[in-house]
Amino acid sequence: PANIHLRPSEIIINRENWNINDDARLRVSKGKIYIENLLVSHDRQKIRFDGILSNDDDRLQVKFNDFSLASLGGVTRPLGIDLQGDMNGELNITSVFRKPLASANIHTSPILYNDIPVGKLDLRADFEPVAGSVLIDLQLLDEQRRGILVNGNYNLYDENEPLNLKG
């Protein structure tokens, strides 16, 4: 196995300096990358990585704390999308190198989409590997609780009608 030790570092993402902690533990062994307490931060924003990257059914957990949606501007602005708001929650990715599958529990502050208020997002998506489906519960609601409510599932094995959503 190879153990990787980080020194306090900065990387630039979308013209912002992000810090990488020096107490993270990274190890590479038998085709797997083990990550423990890897924290990437900018001002109050934090993204933490814990888990295993592999071809197997190992899981990587990504936790967001006060993540500014504006930080996605490098990806969204070329598409004509300007986002504002903060995101908290977690994303779990399984089998990262083979056939990645994700589950999420994400919450935002009120979002501005191209300066238009669209509401707060609450998203819960859970992968059910035996059934091959992703259970989805999504709410995008403004302060008067108006907006979009969607729940249902996405079946990975159904080629004809994979989506079964109600809203």
Side-chain angles (χ1 to χ4, degrees):
N3 291 306
I4 300 168
H5 300 278
L6 302 174
R7 295 184 179 195
S9 305
E10 277 189 2
I11 57 173
I12 298 174
I13 302 173
N14 196 31
R15 298 185 185 140
E16 296 174 338
N17 291 332
W18 287 75
N19 298 304
I20 299 175
N21 63 322
D22 61 348
D23 60 345
R25 297 180 55 180
L26 295 112
R27 183 170 50 101
V28 179
S29 178
K30 299 180 181 176
K32 296 184 179 191
I33 301 171
Y34 298 82
I35 301 171
E36 184 179 326
N37 191 37
L38 177 60
L39 183 65
V40 181
S41 62
H42 171 72
D43 295 334
R44 71 185 198 299
Q45 302 177 75
K46 293 181 175 68
I47 306 170
R48 180 180 167 163
F49 300 86
D50 283 293
I52 302 171
L53 305 173
S54 75
N55 287 328
D56 298 327
D57 290 334
D58 295 313
R59 178 179 66 130
L60 175 67
Q61 181 182 61
V62 183
K63 287 189 176 182
F64 298 92
N65 188 332
D66 290 328
F67 179 76
S68 172
L69 298 176
S71 293
L72 299 172
V75 175
T76 62
R77 282 193 194 106
L79 300 171
I81 299 171
D82 182 39
L83 293 174
Q84 294 176 32
D86 293 326
M87 179 174 76
N88 292 288
E90 67 182 55
L91 174 67
N92 292 293
I93 306 168
T94 306
S95 188
V96 172
F97 294 147
R98 182 180 42 147
K99 201 173 189 182
L101 298 168
S103 63
N105 188 358
I106 301 289
H107 311 282
T108 71
S109 65
I111 297 172
L112 293 177
Y113 176 93
N114 293 341
D115 294 323
I116 299 169
V118 295
K120 292 172 58 174
L121 174 69
D122 287 311
L123 170 64
R124 182 167 187 89
D126 291 307
F127 176 65
E128 295 289 333
V130 174
S133 67
V134 180
L135 303 175
I136 299 166
D137 185 7
L138 178 143
Q139 296 181 6
L140 182 60
L141 302 173
D142 66 13
E143 292 175 0
Q144 288 80 37
R145 308 262 322 142
R146 297 174 303 185
I148 300 170
L149 297 169
V150 175
N151 62 37
N153 67 17
Y154 173 73
N155 188 327
L156 300 170
Y157 303 136
D158 188 339
E159 294 181 13
N160 296 323
E161 293 187 38
L163 285 175
N164 180 18
L165 300 175
K166 296 175 184 169

